[in-house]
Amino acid sequence: GAVVSQHPSWVICKSGTSVKIECRSLDFQATTMFWYRQFPKQSLMLMATSNEGSKATYEQGVEKDKFLINHASLTLSTLTVTSAHPEDSSFYICSPKAGGTEAFFGQGTRLTVV
Amino acid sequence: GDSVTQMEGPVTLSEEAFLTINCTYTATGYPSLFWYVQYPGEGLQLLLKATKADDKGSNKGFEATYRKETTSFHLEKGSVQVSDSAVYFCALSSNQAGTALIFGKGTTLSVSS
């Protein structure tokens, strides 16, 4: 199956700092990248959708200036949480998708803001 | 819009018991259906999928049949193991390019020896 690499797997940062999460599709080209967040014992909530070379489309309620998404190439996308606050603590998961119906998922990043 | 409803958990079973996790969906058109599994602290892994009515997806002893008449995709396993303890998500794809999967809320399965 497809290989997706998401880093870091966990990160602890201080309030007010920024954190960058990388997601790479190692053996396929991702025309679309989805970013999800997951709160404890809850389902995945779609945050934004990005296509390579285009601006991301954010779901309602997700602040685009706070969650910066870059999809510069077909194999790399980044999510930067800017000026992080404790309420941003969550599990973030990337999901690159090629042309088919199946989506693939990164291993997730546990962000804790203290 | 499209949606997925799956049974609330947690589901607690003894080893070798039979498992059913119900999943129903609402969708226009002909979606593809998936079951994903998430182990603690990890991302999602595809467990099985079905892309059209009456298809049966199967993997690692788990099965699910795409039932268009009942709009269901129930997950079953004949004999669960402790290692099956995880959270299971039912999901659908509308098959339109660039659209994200829609997930159910997840069902936690706990299997004891």
Side-chain angles (χ1 to χ4, degrees), chain A residues 32 34 36 38 41-44 46 49 91 93 97 101-103 105-108, chain B residues 32 34 36 38 41-44 46 49 89 93 95 98-101 103-105:
Chain A
T32 304
F34 303 104
Y36 296 86
Q38 183 183 29
K41 300 186 187 302
Q42 295 188 24
S43 189
L44 281 71
L46 181 66
T49 303
F91 193 59
I93 304 176
K97 191 176 181 185
T101 60
E102 185 175 344
F105 292 86
Q107 302 92 324
Chain B
S32 295
F34 306 84
Y36 284 87
Q38 184 179 34
E42 299 183 12
L44 272 68
L46 178 65
K49 67 178 181 180
F89 291 94
S93 170
N95 296 326
T99 58
L101 293 180
F103 288 91
K105 292 187 175 181

PDB file of all heavy atoms in Angstrom, chain A residues 32 34 36 38 41-44 46 49 91 93 97 101-103 105-108, chain B residues 32 34 36 38 41-44 46 49 89 93 95 98-101 103-105:
ATOM      1  N   THR A  32      -4.352  15.838  -3.904  1.00  0.00           N
ATOM      2  CA  THR A  32      -5.138  16.502  -2.875  1.00  0.00           C
ATOM      3  C   THR A  32      -4.628  16.080  -1.510  1.00  0.00           C
ATOM      4  O   THR A  32      -4.256  14.933  -1.296  1.00  0.00           O
ATOM      5  CB  THR A  32      -6.628  16.120  -2.987  1.00  0.00           C
ATOM      6  OG1 THR A  32      -7.092  16.424  -4.297  1.00  0.00           O
ATOM      7  CG2 THR A  32      -7.470  16.891  -1.972  1.00  0.00           C
ATOM      8  N   PHE A  34      -5.717  16.319   2.614  1.00  0.00           N
ATOM      9  CA  PHE A  34      -6.689  16.671   3.634  1.00  0.00           C
ATOM     10  C   PHE A  34      -5.991  16.721   4.996  1.00  0.00           C
ATOM     11  O   PHE A  34      -5.136  15.890   5.294  1.00  0.00           O
ATOM     12  CB  PHE A  34      -7.812  15.625   3.698  1.00  0.00           C
ATOM     13  CG  PHE A  34      -8.543  15.425   2.391  1.00  0.00           C
ATOM     14  CD1 PHE A  34      -8.297  14.307   1.618  1.00  0.00           C
ATOM     15  CD2 PHE A  34      -9.448  16.360   1.936  1.00  0.00           C
ATOM     16  CE1 PHE A  34      -8.968  14.109   0.411  1.00  0.00           C
ATOM     17  CE2 PHE A  34     -10.119  16.178   0.727  1.00  0.00           C
ATOM     18  CZ  PHE A  34      -9.870  15.054  -0.037  1.00  0.00           C
ATOM     19  N   TYR A  36      -6.895  16.736   9.081  1.00  0.00           N
ATOM     20  CA  TYR A  36      -7.923  16.482  10.077  1.00  0.00           C
ATOM     21  C   TYR A  36      -7.367  16.762  11.463  1.00  0.00           C
ATOM     22  O   TYR A  36      -6.159  16.686  11.693  1.00  0.00           O
ATOM     23  CB  TYR A  36      -8.360  15.010  10.050  1.00  0.00           C
ATOM     24  CG  TYR A  36      -9.035  14.528   8.783  1.00  0.00           C
ATOM     25  CD1 TYR A  36      -8.275  14.071   7.713  1.00  0.00           C
ATOM     26  CD2 TYR A  36     -10.415  14.483   8.676  1.00  0.00           C
ATOM     27  CE1 TYR A  36      -8.882  13.593   6.558  1.00  0.00           C
ATOM     28  CE2 TYR A  36     -11.037  14.006   7.528  1.00  0.00           C
ATOM     29  CZ  TYR A  36     -10.257  13.565   6.477  1.00  0.00           C
ATOM     30  OH  TYR A  36     -10.864  13.092   5.341  1.00  0.00           O
ATOM     31  N   GLN A  38      -8.359  15.527  15.578  1.00  0.00           N
ATOM     32  CA  GLN A  38      -9.141  14.559  16.320  1.00  0.00           C
ATOM     33  C   GLN A  38      -8.970  14.830  17.807  1.00  0.00           C
ATOM     34  O   GLN A  38      -7.856  14.770  18.334  1.00  0.00           O
ATOM     35  CB  GLN A  38      -8.697  13.137  15.982  1.00  0.00           C
ATOM     36  CG  GLN A  38      -9.505  12.050  16.657  1.00  0.00           C
ATOM     37  CD  GLN A  38      -8.981  10.657  16.356  1.00  0.00           C
ATOM     38  OE1 GLN A  38      -7.796  10.461  16.124  1.00  0.00           O
ATOM     39  NE2 GLN A  38      -9.877   9.674  16.340  1.00  0.00           N
ATOM     40  N   LYS A  41     -11.246  10.601  22.037  1.00  0.00           N
ATOM     41  CA  LYS A  41     -12.460   9.784  21.953  1.00  0.00           C
ATOM     42  C   LYS A  41     -13.492  10.349  20.973  1.00  0.00           C
ATOM     43  O   LYS A  41     -14.689  10.100  21.111  1.00  0.00           O
ATOM     44  CB  LYS A  41     -13.098   9.620  23.338  1.00  0.00           C
ATOM     45  CG  LYS A  41     -12.164   8.953  24.340  1.00  0.00           C
ATOM     46  CD  LYS A  41     -12.864   8.667  25.642  1.00  0.00           C
ATOM     47  CE  LYS A  41     -11.908   8.153  26.704  1.00  0.00           C
ATOM     48  NZ  LYS A  41     -11.206   6.927  26.296  1.00  0.00           N
ATOM     49  N   GLN A  42     -13.023  11.094  19.977  1.00  0.00           N
ATOM     50  CA  GLN A  42     -13.943  11.624  18.976  1.00  0.00           C
ATOM     51  C   GLN A  42     -13.476  11.236  17.584  1.00  0.00           C
ATOM     52  O   GLN A  42     -12.384  10.698  17.392  1.00  0.00           O
ATOM     53  CB  GLN A  42     -14.057  13.142  19.097  1.00  0.00           C
ATOM     54  CG  GLN A  42     -14.674  13.596  20.402  1.00  0.00           C
ATOM     55  CD  GLN A  42     -14.954  15.083  20.408  1.00  0.00           C
ATOM     56  OE1 GLN A  42     -15.113  15.703  19.359  1.00  0.00           O
ATOM     57  NE2 GLN A  42     -15.043  15.664  21.600  1.00  0.00           N
ATOM     58  N   SER A  43     -14.319  11.539  16.625  1.00  0.00           N
ATOM     59  CA  SER A  43     -13.992  11.196  15.252  1.00  0.00           C
ATOM     60  C   SER A  43     -13.060  12.244  14.638  1.00  0.00           C
ATOM     61  O   SER A  43     -12.713  13.239  15.272  1.00  0.00           O
ATOM     62  CB  SER A  43     -15.265  11.077  14.427  1.00  0.00           C
ATOM     63  OG  SER A  43     -14.988  10.543  13.164  1.00  0.00           O
ATOM     64  N   LEU A  44     -12.683  12.000  13.418  1.00  0.00           N
ATOM     65  CA  LEU A  44     -11.834  12.938  12.703  1.00  0.00           C
ATOM     66  C   LEU A  44     -12.692  14.067  12.139  1.00  0.00           C
ATOM     67  O   LEU A  44     -13.720  13.825  11.506  1.00  0.00           O
ATOM     68  CB  LEU A  44     -11.113  12.248  11.546  1.00  0.00           C
ATOM     69  CG  LEU A  44      -9.891  11.413  11.892  1.00  0.00           C
ATOM     70  CD1 LEU A  44     -10.279  10.144  12.603  1.00  0.00           C
ATOM     71  CD2 LEU A  44      -9.100  11.103  10.639  1.00  0.00           C
ATOM     72  N   LEU A  46     -12.608  17.200   9.553  1.00  0.00           N
ATOM     73  CA  LEU A  46     -11.863  17.791   8.459  1.00  0.00           C
ATOM     74  C   LEU A  46     -11.611  19.265   8.751  1.00  0.00           C
ATOM     75  O   LEU A  46     -12.540  20.005   9.083  1.00  0.00           O
ATOM     76  CB  LEU A  46     -12.639  17.630   7.152  1.00  0.00           C
ATOM     77  CG  LEU A  46     -11.983  18.191   5.900  1.00  0.00           C
ATOM     78  CD1 LEU A  46     -10.708  17.420   5.569  1.00  0.00           C
ATOM     79  CD2 LEU A  46     -12.953  18.142   4.713  1.00  0.00           C
ATOM     80  N   THR A  49      -8.799  21.371   2.975  1.00  0.00           N
ATOM     81  CA  THR A  49      -8.446  20.602   1.780  1.00  0.00           C
ATOM     82  C   THR A  49      -7.525  21.456   0.934  1.00  0.00           C
ATOM     83  O   THR A  49      -7.812  22.648   0.716  1.00  0.00           O
ATOM     84  CB  THR A  49      -9.701  20.269   0.974  1.00  0.00           C
ATOM     85  OG1 THR A  49     -10.626  19.556   1.798  1.00  0.00           O
ATOM     86  CG2 THR A  49      -9.365  19.430  -0.255  1.00  0.00           C
ATOM     87  N   PHE A  91      -4.869  15.919  18.190  1.00  0.00           N
ATOM     88  CA  PHE A  91      -4.174  14.960  17.342  1.00  0.00           C
ATOM     89  C   PHE A  91      -4.469  15.364  15.907  1.00  0.00           C
ATOM     90  O   PHE A  91      -5.632  15.423  15.504  1.00  0.00           O
ATOM     91  CB  PHE A  91      -4.707  13.550  17.644  1.00  0.00           C
ATOM     92  CG  PHE A  91      -3.897  12.423  17.075  1.00  0.00           C
ATOM     93  CD1 PHE A  91      -2.569  12.268  17.418  1.00  0.00           C
ATOM     94  CD2 PHE A  91      -4.473  11.502  16.216  1.00  0.00           C
ATOM     95  CE1 PHE A  91      -1.813  11.211  16.911  1.00  0.00           C
ATOM     96  CE2 PHE A  91      -3.731  10.440  15.705  1.00  0.00           C
ATOM     97  CZ  PHE A  91      -2.403  10.297  16.057  1.00  0.00           C
ATOM     98  N   ILE A  93      -3.979  14.802  11.825  1.00  0.00           N
ATOM     99  CA  ILE A  93      -3.696  13.720  10.882  1.00  0.00           C
ATOM    100  C   ILE A  93      -3.809  14.247   9.453  1.00  0.00           C
ATOM    101  O   ILE A  93      -4.785  14.908   9.109  1.00  0.00           O
ATOM    102  CB  ILE A  93      -4.681  12.547  11.057  1.00  0.00           C
ATOM    103  CG1 ILE A  93      -4.683  12.028  12.493  1.00  0.00           C
ATOM    104  CG2 ILE A  93      -4.352  11.413  10.096  1.00  0.00           C
ATOM    105  CD1 ILE A  93      -5.704  10.935  12.741  1.00  0.00           C
ATOM    106  N   LYS A  97      -4.254  12.132  -0.997  1.00  0.00           N
ATOM    107  CA  LYS A  97      -5.102  11.349  -1.889  1.00  0.00           C
ATOM    108  C   LYS A  97      -4.638  11.528  -3.317  1.00  0.00           C
ATOM    109  O   LYS A  97      -4.362  12.638  -3.745  1.00  0.00           O
ATOM    110  CB  LYS A  97      -6.553  11.792  -1.739  1.00  0.00           C
ATOM    111  CG  LYS A  97      -7.576  10.904  -2.412  1.00  0.00           C
ATOM    112  CD  LYS A  97      -8.993  11.395  -2.097  1.00  0.00           C
ATOM    113  CE  LYS A  97     -10.034  10.499  -2.755  1.00  0.00           C
ATOM    114  NZ  LYS A  97     -11.403  11.016  -2.566  1.00  0.00           N
ATOM    115  N   THR A 101     -10.387   6.398  -5.213  1.00  0.00           N
ATOM    116  CA  THR A 101     -11.333   6.622  -4.122  1.00  0.00           C
ATOM    117  C   THR A 101     -10.686   6.484  -2.752  1.00  0.00           C
ATOM    118  O   THR A 101     -11.176   7.028  -1.780  1.00  0.00           O
ATOM    119  CB  THR A 101     -12.495   5.620  -4.201  1.00  0.00           C
ATOM    120  OG1 THR A 101     -11.958   4.287  -4.104  1.00  0.00           O
ATOM    121  CG2 THR A 101     -13.249   5.757  -5.511  1.00  0.00           C
ATOM    122  N   GLU A 102      -9.579   5.759  -2.690  1.00  0.00           N
ATOM    123  CA  GLU A 102      -8.998   5.471  -1.383  1.00  0.00           C
ATOM    124  C   GLU A 102      -8.137   6.618  -0.902  1.00  0.00           C
ATOM    125  O   GLU A 102      -7.380   7.210  -1.659  1.00  0.00           O
ATOM    126  CB  GLU A 102      -8.168   4.199  -1.453  1.00  0.00           C
ATOM    127  CG  GLU A 102      -7.613   3.756  -0.109  1.00  0.00           C
ATOM    128  CD  GLU A 102      -6.896   2.426  -0.210  1.00  0.00           C
ATOM    129  OE1 GLU A 102      -7.077   1.722  -1.217  1.00  0.00           O
ATOM    130  OE2 GLU A 102      -6.126   2.102   0.700  1.00  0.00           O
ATOM    131  N   ALA A 103      -8.262   6.944   0.368  1.00  0.00           N
ATOM    132  CA  ALA A 103      -7.406   7.940   0.996  1.00  0.00           C
ATOM    133  C   ALA A 103      -6.424   7.225   1.906  1.00  0.00           C
ATOM    134  O   ALA A 103      -6.715   6.163   2.451  1.00  0.00           O
ATOM    135  CB  ALA A 103      -8.239   8.930   1.797  1.00  0.00           C
ATOM    136  N   PHE A 105      -3.472   7.739   5.177  1.00  0.00           N
ATOM    137  CA  PHE A 105      -3.340   8.581   6.351  1.00  0.00           C
ATOM    138  C   PHE A 105      -1.936   8.549   6.919  1.00  0.00           C
ATOM    139  O   PHE A 105      -1.274   7.497   6.913  1.00  0.00           O
ATOM    140  CB  PHE A 105      -4.333   8.139   7.431  1.00  0.00           C
ATOM    141  CG  PHE A 105      -5.764   8.392   7.053  1.00  0.00           C
ATOM    142  CD1 PHE A 105      -6.468   7.466   6.302  1.00  0.00           C
ATOM    143  CD2 PHE A 105      -6.382   9.582   7.393  1.00  0.00           C
ATOM    144  CE1 PHE A 105      -7.778   7.703   5.915  1.00  0.00           C
ATOM    145  CE2 PHE A 105      -7.689   9.833   7.012  1.00  0.00           C
ATOM    146  CZ  PHE A 105      -8.385   8.893   6.281  1.00  0.00           C
ATOM    147  N   GLY A 106      -1.517   9.700   7.414  1.00  0.00           N
ATOM    148  CA  GLY A 106      -0.281   9.746   8.165  1.00  0.00           C
ATOM    149  C   GLY A 106      -0.481   9.140   9.540  1.00  0.00           C
ATOM    150  O   GLY A 106      -1.598   8.792   9.937  1.00  0.00           O
ATOM    151  N   GLN A 107       0.631   9.025  10.270  1.00  0.00           N
ATOM    152  CA  GLN A 107       0.582   8.389  11.580  1.00  0.00           C
ATOM    153  C   GLN A 107       0.000   9.318  12.636  1.00  0.00           C
ATOM    154  O   GLN A 107      -0.301   8.886  13.749  1.00  0.00           O
ATOM    155  CB  GLN A 107       1.997   7.960  12.007  1.00  0.00           C
ATOM    156  CG  GLN A 107       2.663   7.017  11.025  1.00  0.00           C
ATOM    157  CD  GLN A 107       3.503   7.758   9.999  1.00  0.00           C
ATOM    158  OE1 GLN A 107       3.158   8.848   9.551  1.00  0.00           O
ATOM    159  NE2 GLN A 107       4.621   7.163   9.615  1.00  0.00           N
ATOM    160  N   GLY A 108      -0.155  10.582  12.286  1.00  0.00           N
ATOM    161  CA  GLY A 108      -0.713  11.531  13.233  1.00  0.00           C
ATOM    162  C   GLY A 108       0.354  12.246  14.041  1.00  0.00           C
ATOM    163  O   GLY A 108       1.460  11.743  14.244  1.00  0.00           O
TER     164      GLY A 108
ATOM    165  N   SER B  32     -18.287   4.842  -2.241  1.00  0.00           N
ATOM    166  CA  SER B  32     -17.450   3.732  -1.793  1.00  0.00           C
ATOM    167  C   SER B  32     -17.468   3.740  -0.267  1.00  0.00           C
ATOM    168  O   SER B  32     -17.581   4.791   0.353  1.00  0.00           O
ATOM    169  CB  SER B  32     -16.023   3.898  -2.288  1.00  0.00           C
ATOM    170  OG  SER B  32     -15.970   3.813  -3.695  1.00  0.00           O
ATOM    171  N   PHE B  34     -15.823   2.243   3.516  1.00  0.00           N
ATOM    172  CA  PHE B  34     -14.559   1.813   4.115  1.00  0.00           C
ATOM    173  C   PHE B  34     -14.735   1.539   5.612  1.00  0.00           C
ATOM    174  O   PHE B  34     -15.588   2.132   6.274  1.00  0.00           O
ATOM    175  CB  PHE B  34     -13.491   2.908   3.983  1.00  0.00           C
ATOM    176  CG  PHE B  34     -13.265   3.405   2.584  1.00  0.00           C
ATOM    177  CD1 PHE B  34     -14.076   4.391   2.036  1.00  0.00           C
ATOM    178  CD2 PHE B  34     -12.225   2.892   1.824  1.00  0.00           C
ATOM    179  CE1 PHE B  34     -13.855   4.850   0.750  1.00  0.00           C
ATOM    180  CE2 PHE B  34     -12.004   3.354   0.536  1.00  0.00           C
ATOM    181  CZ  PHE B  34     -12.819   4.331   0.000  1.00  0.00           C
ATOM    182  N   TYR B  36     -11.939   1.734   8.753  1.00  0.00           N
ATOM    183  CA  TYR B  36     -10.583   2.027   9.187  1.00  0.00           C
ATOM    184  C   TYR B  36     -10.441   1.630  10.652  1.00  0.00           C
ATOM    185  O   TYR B  36     -11.406   1.667  11.422  1.00  0.00           O
ATOM    186  CB  TYR B  36     -10.269   3.517   9.054  1.00  0.00           C
ATOM    187  CG  TYR B  36     -10.011   3.967   7.635  1.00  0.00           C
ATOM    188  CD1 TYR B  36     -11.058   4.352   6.802  1.00  0.00           C
ATOM    189  CD2 TYR B  36      -8.714   4.005   7.125  1.00  0.00           C
ATOM    190  CE1 TYR B  36     -10.811   4.762   5.502  1.00  0.00           C
ATOM    191  CE2 TYR B  36      -8.471   4.416   5.821  1.00  0.00           C
ATOM    192  CZ  TYR B  36      -9.526   4.789   5.025  1.00  0.00           C
ATOM    193  OH  TYR B  36      -9.286   5.193   3.734  1.00  0.00           O
ATOM    194  N   GLN B  38      -7.996   2.291  14.177  1.00  0.00           N
ATOM    195  CA  GLN B  38      -7.008   3.175  14.797  1.00  0.00           C
ATOM    196  C   GLN B  38      -6.576   2.581  16.129  1.00  0.00           C
ATOM    197  O   GLN B  38      -7.386   2.430  17.051  1.00  0.00           O
ATOM    198  CB  GLN B  38      -7.589   4.573  15.022  1.00  0.00           C
ATOM    199  CG  GLN B  38      -6.584   5.571  15.564  1.00  0.00           C
ATOM    200  CD  GLN B  38      -7.186   6.954  15.742  1.00  0.00           C
ATOM    201  OE1 GLN B  38      -8.359   7.096  16.064  1.00  0.00           O
ATOM    202  NE2 GLN B  38      -6.378   7.982  15.543  1.00  0.00           N
ATOM    203  N   GLY B  41      -2.859   6.062  19.918  1.00  0.00           N
ATOM    204  CA  GLY B  41      -1.743   6.949  19.581  1.00  0.00           C
ATOM    205  C   GLY B  41      -1.281   6.882  18.143  1.00  0.00           C
ATOM    206  O   GLY B  41      -0.254   7.469  17.794  1.00  0.00           O
ATOM    207  N   GLU B  42      -2.031   6.203  17.299  1.00  0.00           N
ATOM    208  CA  GLU B  42      -1.603   6.053  15.907  1.00  0.00           C
ATOM    209  C   GLU B  42      -2.625   6.655  14.948  1.00  0.00           C
ATOM    210  O   GLU B  42      -3.728   7.037  15.333  1.00  0.00           O
ATOM    211  CB  GLU B  42      -1.391   4.578  15.569  1.00  0.00           C
ATOM    212  CG  GLU B  42      -0.305   3.910  16.410  1.00  0.00           C
ATOM    213  CD  GLU B  42      -0.070   2.475  15.988  1.00  0.00           C
ATOM    214  OE1 GLU B  42      -0.559   2.061  14.916  1.00  0.00           O
ATOM    215  OE2 GLU B  42       0.606   1.751  16.747  1.00  0.00           O
ATOM    216  N   GLY B  43      -2.227   6.735  13.697  1.00  0.00           N
ATOM    217  CA  GLY B  43      -3.142   7.186  12.661  1.00  0.00           C
ATOM    218  C   GLY B  43      -4.094   6.080  12.255  1.00  0.00           C
ATOM    219  O   GLY B  43      -4.215   5.059  12.930  1.00  0.00           O
ATOM    220  N   LEU B  44      -4.771   6.290  11.145  1.00  0.00           N
ATOM    221  CA  LEU B  44      -5.760   5.320  10.683  1.00  0.00           C
ATOM    222  C   LEU B  44      -5.158   4.357   9.677  1.00  0.00           C
ATOM    223  O   LEU B  44      -4.370   4.737   8.821  1.00  0.00           O
ATOM    224  CB  LEU B  44      -6.938   6.042  10.022  1.00  0.00           C
ATOM    225  CG  LEU B  44      -8.063   6.470  10.953  1.00  0.00           C
ATOM    226  CD1 LEU B  44      -7.597   7.559  11.885  1.00  0.00           C
ATOM    227  CD2 LEU B  44      -9.266   6.918  10.154  1.00  0.00           C
ATOM    228  N   LEU B  46      -6.363   1.455   6.827  1.00  0.00           N
ATOM    229  CA  LEU B  46      -7.484   0.883   6.102  1.00  0.00           C
ATOM    230  C   LEU B  46      -7.629  -0.589   6.465  1.00  0.00           C
ATOM    231  O   LEU B  46      -6.671  -1.364   6.358  1.00  0.00           O
ATOM    232  CB  LEU B  46      -7.275   1.022   4.595  1.00  0.00           C
ATOM    233  CG  LEU B  46      -8.370   0.422   3.716  1.00  0.00           C
ATOM    234  CD1 LEU B  46      -9.690   1.157   3.922  1.00  0.00           C
ATOM    235  CD2 LEU B  46      -7.951   0.469   2.246  1.00  0.00           C
ATOM    236  N   LYS B  49     -12.558  -2.408   2.322  1.00  0.00           N
ATOM    237  CA  LYS B  49     -13.374  -1.462   1.571  1.00  0.00           C
ATOM    238  C   LYS B  49     -14.266  -2.195   0.584  1.00  0.00           C
ATOM    239  O   LYS B  49     -14.045  -3.366   0.268  1.00  0.00           O
ATOM    240  CB  LYS B  49     -12.493  -0.468   0.818  1.00  0.00           C
ATOM    241  CG  LYS B  49     -11.674  -1.100  -0.301  1.00  0.00           C
ATOM    242  CD  LYS B  49     -10.862  -0.039  -1.036  1.00  0.00           C
ATOM    243  CE  LYS B  49     -10.061  -0.670  -2.174  1.00  0.00           C
ATOM    244  NZ  LYS B  49      -9.259   0.343  -2.914  1.00  0.00           N
ATOM    245  N   PHE B  89     -13.572   2.910  12.593  1.00  0.00           N
ATOM    246  CA  PHE B  89     -14.311   3.984  11.944  1.00  0.00           C
ATOM    247  C   PHE B  89     -14.885   3.493  10.625  1.00  0.00           C
ATOM    248  O   PHE B  89     -14.160   2.954   9.784  1.00  0.00           O
ATOM    249  CB  PHE B  89     -13.398   5.183  11.643  1.00  0.00           C
ATOM    250  CG  PHE B  89     -12.924   5.916  12.855  1.00  0.00           C
ATOM    251  CD1 PHE B  89     -11.702   5.601  13.426  1.00  0.00           C
ATOM    252  CD2 PHE B  89     -13.683   6.927  13.418  1.00  0.00           C
ATOM    253  CE1 PHE B  89     -11.246   6.280  14.544  1.00  0.00           C
ATOM    254  CE2 PHE B  89     -13.234   7.621  14.540  1.00  0.00           C
ATOM    255  CZ  PHE B  89     -12.016   7.292  15.104  1.00  0.00           C
ATOM    256  N   SER B  93     -16.865   7.534   0.795  1.00  0.00           N
ATOM    257  CA  SER B  93     -16.336   8.476  -0.181  1.00  0.00           C
ATOM    258  C   SER B  93     -17.369   8.651  -1.276  1.00  0.00           C
ATOM    259  O   SER B  93     -17.873   7.676  -1.821  1.00  0.00           O
ATOM    260  CB  SER B  93     -15.025   7.947  -0.775  1.00  0.00           C
ATOM    261  OG  SER B  93     -14.645   8.739  -1.884  1.00  0.00           O
ATOM    262  N   ASN B  95     -16.769   9.602  -4.100  1.00  0.00           N
ATOM    263  CA  ASN B  95     -16.078   9.300  -5.360  1.00  0.00           C
ATOM    264  C   ASN B  95     -15.888  10.518  -6.257  1.00  0.00           C
ATOM    265  O   ASN B  95     -15.449  10.387  -7.384  1.00  0.00           O
ATOM    266  CB  ASN B  95     -16.782   8.190  -6.150  1.00  0.00           C
ATOM    267  CG  ASN B  95     -16.763   6.874  -5.405  1.00  0.00           C
ATOM    268  OD1 ASN B  95     -15.796   6.569  -4.707  1.00  0.00           O
ATOM    269  ND2 ASN B  95     -17.825   6.103  -5.534  1.00  0.00           N
ATOM    270  N   GLY B  98     -11.314  15.099  -5.226  1.00  0.00           N
ATOM    271  CA  GLY B  98     -11.019  16.180  -4.300  1.00  0.00           C
ATOM    272  C   GLY B  98     -11.912  16.260  -3.081  1.00  0.00           C
ATOM    273  O   GLY B  98     -11.797  17.212  -2.309  1.00  0.00           O
ATOM    274  N   THR B  99     -12.779  15.282  -2.879  1.00  0.00           N
ATOM    275  CA  THR B  99     -13.635  15.321  -1.686  1.00  0.00           C
ATOM    276  C   THR B  99     -13.100  14.387  -0.620  1.00  0.00           C
ATOM    277  O   THR B  99     -12.586  13.308  -0.902  1.00  0.00           O
ATOM    278  CB  THR B  99     -15.085  14.933  -2.009  1.00  0.00           C
ATOM    279  OG1 THR B  99     -15.106  13.630  -2.582  1.00  0.00           O
ATOM    280  CG2 THR B  99     -15.717  15.927  -2.957  1.00  0.00           C
ATOM    281  N   ALA B 100     -13.246  14.822   0.628  1.00  0.00           N
ATOM    282  CA  ALA B 100     -12.722  14.062   1.749  1.00  0.00           C
ATOM    283  C   ALA B 100     -13.664  12.926   2.130  1.00  0.00           C
ATOM    284  O   ALA B 100     -14.850  12.930   1.784  1.00  0.00           O
ATOM    285  CB  ALA B 100     -12.533  14.987   2.959  1.00  0.00           C
ATOM    286  N   LEU B 101     -13.108  11.963   2.839  1.00  0.00           N
ATOM    287  CA  LEU B 101     -13.937  10.911   3.407  1.00  0.00           C
ATOM    288  C   LEU B 101     -14.842  11.506   4.483  1.00  0.00           C
ATOM    289  O   LEU B 101     -14.472  12.467   5.160  1.00  0.00           O
ATOM    290  CB  LEU B 101     -13.072   9.830   4.035  1.00  0.00           C
ATOM    291  CG  LEU B 101     -12.210   8.990   3.108  1.00  0.00           C
ATOM    292  CD1 LEU B 101     -11.424   7.970   3.907  1.00  0.00           C
ATOM    293  CD2 LEU B 101     -13.050   8.299   2.064  1.00  0.00           C
ATOM    294  N   PHE B 103     -16.573  10.420   7.968  1.00  0.00           N
ATOM    295  CA  PHE B 103     -16.389   9.386   8.978  1.00  0.00           C
ATOM    296  C   PHE B 103     -17.567   9.300   9.926  1.00  0.00           C
ATOM    297  O   PHE B 103     -18.212  10.295  10.256  1.00  0.00           O
ATOM    298  CB  PHE B 103     -15.134   9.684   9.807  1.00  0.00           C
ATOM    299  CG  PHE B 103     -13.853   9.469   9.069  1.00  0.00           C
ATOM    300  CD1 PHE B 103     -13.258  10.494   8.367  1.00  0.00           C
ATOM    301  CD2 PHE B 103     -13.244   8.225   9.088  1.00  0.00           C
ATOM    302  CE1 PHE B 103     -12.076  10.298   7.676  1.00  0.00           C
ATOM    303  CE2 PHE B 103     -12.060   8.012   8.408  1.00  0.00           C
ATOM    304  CZ  PHE B 103     -11.484   9.053   7.702  1.00  0.00           C
ATOM    305  N   GLY B 104     -17.807   8.088  10.404  1.00  0.00           N
ATOM    306  CA  GLY B 104     -18.661   7.916  11.558  1.00  0.00           C
ATOM    307  C   GLY B 104     -17.898   8.339  12.804  1.00  0.00           C
ATOM    308  O   GLY B 104     -16.719   8.692  12.740  1.00  0.00           O
ATOM    309  N   LYS B 105     -18.548   8.287  13.943  1.00  0.00           N
ATOM    310  CA  LYS B 105     -17.949   8.776  15.178  1.00  0.00           C
ATOM    311  C   LYS B 105     -16.934   7.813  15.779  1.00  0.00           C
ATOM    312  O   LYS B 105     -16.208   8.170  16.702  1.00  0.00           O
ATOM    313  CB  LYS B 105     -19.033   9.082  16.204  1.00  0.00           C
ATOM    314  CG  LYS B 105     -19.910  10.261  15.820  1.00  0.00           C
ATOM    315  CD  LYS B 105     -20.857  10.639  16.939  1.00  0.00           C
ATOM    316  CE  LYS B 105     -21.639  11.900  16.563  1.00  0.00           C
ATOM    317  NZ  LYS B 105     -22.566  12.322  17.638  1.00  0.00           N
TER     318      LYS B 105
END
